[in-house]
Amino acid sequence: MPMTRGSNLGLLKEKLVAAEAITVLTGAGISADSGVPTFRGADGLWKNVRAEDLATPDAFERDPRLVWEWYNWRRELIATKQPNNAHNAIVELERRCPNFWLMTQNVDGLHRDAGSQKLSEIHGNIWKVRCTGCGVVENNRDVPIAILPSCPRCGSLLRPHIVWFGESLSPDDLDDCSRALKHCDVLLIIGTSGVVYPAAGFASVAKEAGAFVAEINLDPTPQSALVDLSLHGRAKDLVPLLLEPL
Ligand code: BJW
Ligand code: ZN
């Protein structure tokens, strides 16, 4: 049964201190505190645009210019943002715990900017492009990127290196996540609405493997009934508290 704040913070701290293996799953809520819009909710990106018009392979095939214009807008916005205290606290958790893995659904790259190293960016990265012809993936931090961008090797159209709806996640990332979920003592879920699969199923995988599962979110989520503990508040306020002495 999920509980609310107060002594729960202390309980989660105890679990983290005792844990030999910690896995963290993050979503857009952690970057909301850096000023990056979330997807769902009142101010979310999907409020004014339909996901299937922009974040699907069909949308890109239909109108690559429209999709690239949307990504250019987001690149411009994200380029001005910095990691916040929650991103930084996760770097410190990684430093303290020998067996640590971060799985982020975020494509903004802020975890890497903060210094996280043991991580899977399971939905890709907005600062990478992939050739639709030869498949080569490259870093690209152009803001704005030239529309329509083409591959310097084969001339084919480049696309964002992002996992859209209906596309599979990388098998390597899925393997890393599966290992991290099955072998962690604590799974900490931060700032995700928990509705997009496969990440929406990660809490139950860890729970079935015997982990203590906690979530930090502004609001209850579909995962709240499943987790051992819920803390409600802003990630940038709550995550750093987890590092304070017991
Ligand atoms: C705060 C806060 C603060 C705010 N502090 N908290 C049925 C079952 C299983 C699968 C499917 C199914 N039907 C369809 C599918 C497949 C589909 C899916 O899951 N759809 C669901 C919507 C139902 N999944 C896929 O297609 C995935 N691929 C896949 O499954 O392959 C196999 C397969 C294919 C086809 C059919 C079946 C299987 C790929 C998913 C790729 C998702 N990509 C996106 C968009 C990328 C575009 C881009 O970014 O450029 O990734 S979707 C979008 O949602 C983005 C995010 O990473 C993802 C998750 O969102 P997130 O992070 O949770 O954000 P929000 O906005 O939803 O929530 C923010 C939360 O933060 C809220 O809870 C706030 O309260 C909180 N918050 N401020 C703390 N300060
Ligand atoms: Zn190419």
Side-chain angles (χ1 to χ4, degrees), residues 34-138:
S34 293
V36 180
T38 60
F39 291 90
R40 297 163 188 86
D43 300 320
L45 286 171
W46 297 152
K47 194 178 158 235
N48 298 317
V49 286
R50 293 191 322 150
E52 54 273 33
D53 288 340
L54 292 166
T56 65
D58 283 352
F60 190 66
E61 210 165 295
R62 202 167 49 237
D63 194 345
R65 185 172 293 275
L66 176 73
V67 173
W68 263 121
E69 278 166 1
W70 186 59
Y71 278 98
N72 245 345
W73 172 75
R74 288 178 59 208
R75 284 162 79 104
E76 276 169 15
L77 183 95
I78 292 168
T80 66
K81 307 304 179 199
Q82 312 292 330
N84 62 60
N85 284 342
H87 296 99
N88 296 335
I90 290 172
V91 178
E92 178 60 18
L93 264 185
E94 174 179 334
R95 200 189 63 76
R96 290 186 191 182
C97 179
N99 208 338
F100 178 91
W101 199 254
L102 168 62
M103 311 173 295
T104 186
Q105 298 169 86
N106 299 344
V107 302
D108 53 38
L110 291 182
H111 283 296
R112 279 188 198 280
D113 291 349
S116 286
Q117 292 182 356
K118 294 181 180 172
L119 83 165
S120 307
E121 291 174 312
I122 63 172
H123 292 164
N125 186 304
I126 201 164
W127 303 114
K128 291 182 179 173
V129 294
R130 185 166 83 241
C131 177
T132 56
C134 65
V136 169
V137 176
E138 274 188 346

Side-chain angles (χ1 to χ4, degrees), residues 130-136 150-158:
R130 185 166 83 241
C131 177
T132 56
C134 65
V136 169
S150 59
C151 176
R153 278 161 299 274
C154 73
S156 302
L157 181 62
L158 296 174

Side-chain angles (χ1 to χ4, degrees), residues 28 33 39-40 71 74 105 123 163 166-167 192-193 197 217 235:
D33 284 334
F39 291 90
R40 297 163 188 86
Y71 278 98
R74 288 178 59 208
Q105 298 169 86
H123 292 164
V163 182
E167 295 186 312
T192 174
S193 57
Y197 285 85
N217 199 300

Side-chain angles (χ1 to χ4, degrees), residues 3 8 11-16 19 21 23 184-189 203 206-207 209-215 226-230:
M3 302 178 279
N8 288 333
L11 174 59
L12 180 53
K13 279 161 62 175
E14 280 170 27
K15 294 283 181 189
L16 289 169
T23 297
C184 66
D185 301 306
V186 177
L187 170 66
L188 182 58
I189 302 172
K207 195 92 193 88
F212 183 86
V213 181
E215 71 170 355
L226 179 87
V227 302
D228 296 295
L229 183 155
S230 292

